[in-house]
Amino acid sequence: MIETIKIWDEELFLFLNSFHFDWLDPVMYAMTKTLVWVPLYAFLVYIIIKKLGQSSIWIFIGIFLAILISDQTTSGFMKPFFERPRPCHDPRWEGIMFNYKRCGGMFGFASSHASNTFALATYLWLTFKRKVPGFGWMFLWAAIVSYTRLYLGVHYPADLIVGAIVGLLAGWFSWWLVIKIKMTAIRKVEKMDE
């Protein structure tokens, strides 16, 4: 069964990776870099501080936790454990697949780009769904960033899907944990005031 899924994953990768355009290659490459998203991150920081003021520290703690958990799960545990080579490191695809500029580390399962962006999207959506309508667009952003990895030939679809799931879980867990910690802190302050 796992072997069949792996074959389907590779076939889907080769099919989707075959759709590329010379003019789009540098755009997709730029979109996979952190620097291009600095204005978005600055905008998010502005919204968070504007909506929550001093209590925004809890949001930044949650974001840090979500990304730390997602990144360490994929990069620190999954990639060295599963040791699945990136498609651009697999000699079977030489001359068949498209890879732009660079390949990255040897192993790609699961995608840290997918896990980190989906962790951020999930955490912010859960935190702001009642306060700031429309935060669901972050999931589209996470999907686009994730897709750039397939387009550039550095991840299989399963790498992205599993990475996204890890990110969703990390974002949810961080959101839940920050609420618990915050409630505990509030209770302690209230007891001290009594």
Side-chain angles (χ1 to χ4, degrees):
M1 179 65 176
I2 291 176
E3 203 55 41
T4 303
I5 292 170
K6 187 178 171 188
I7 291 168
W8 290 346
D9 188 37
E10 291 171 350
E11 288 175 354
L12 182 59
F13 165 76
L14 292 172
F15 173 72
L16 293 173
N17 179 257
S18 69
F19 296 102
H20 65 91
F21 306 94
D22 292 341
W23 64 269
L24 190 56
D25 298 346
V27 173
M28 292 298 235
Y29 185 71
M31 289 175 69
T32 198
K33 299 292 183 187
T34 303
L35 193 60
V36 78
W37 298 110
V38 168
L40 170 66
Y41 301 143
F43 175 69
L44 292 173
V45 167
Y46 168 76
I47 288 175
I48 291 166
I49 293 172
K50 184 178 178 189
K51 288 289 178 185
L52 300 174
Q54 288 184 340
S55 64
S56 62
I57 189 69
W58 291 104
I59 306 305
F60 297 121
I61 290 169
I63 290 169
F64 173 78
L65 274 174
I67 293 173
L68 179 70
I69 293 167
S70 68
D71 193 64
Q72 288 305 303
T73 301
T74 54
S75 293
F77 171 69
M78 295 180 79
K79 287 177 183 174
F81 181 80
F82 291 105
E83 294 186 340
R84 184 184 191 193
R86 293 177 187 267
C88 48
H89 283 304
D90 193 328
R92 294 178 299 158
W93 312 135
E94 197 170 317
I96 298 171
M97 59 153 282
F98 170 74
N99 175 239
Y100 185 76
K101 285 209 175 190
R102 64 183 292 269
C103 189
M106 179 59 77
F107 305 121
F109 184 81
S111 168
S112 298
H113 276 75
S115 67
N116 294 343
T117 54
F118 274 94
L120 179 61
T122 302
Y123 184 82
L124 290 177
W125 179 75
L126 288 169
T127 301
F128 287 106
K129 63 183 175 182
R130 292 189 185 108
K131 296 177 183 101
V132 181
F135 250 96
W137 65 267
M138 290 289 296
F139 291 104
L140 176 61
W141 165 75
I144 290 168
V145 171
S146 298
Y147 178 74
T148 66
R149 309 301 287 162
L150 189 149
Y151 181 97
L152 297 170
V154 297
H155 280 295
Y156 291 105
D159 300 346
L160 303 176
I161 292 166
V162 173
I165 292 168
V166 168
L168 290 166
L169 293 173
W172 175 84
F173 177 73
S174 299
W175 172 77
W176 174 84
L177 187 61
V178 166
I179 288 173
K180 292 293 180 191
I181 293 169
K182 191 175 176 182
M183 295 309 292
T184 302
I186 289 169
R187 281 191 213 109
K188 283 185 180 180
V189 169
E190 287 173 351
K191 281 184 181 178
M192 288 169 62
D193 290 343
E194 289 176 357

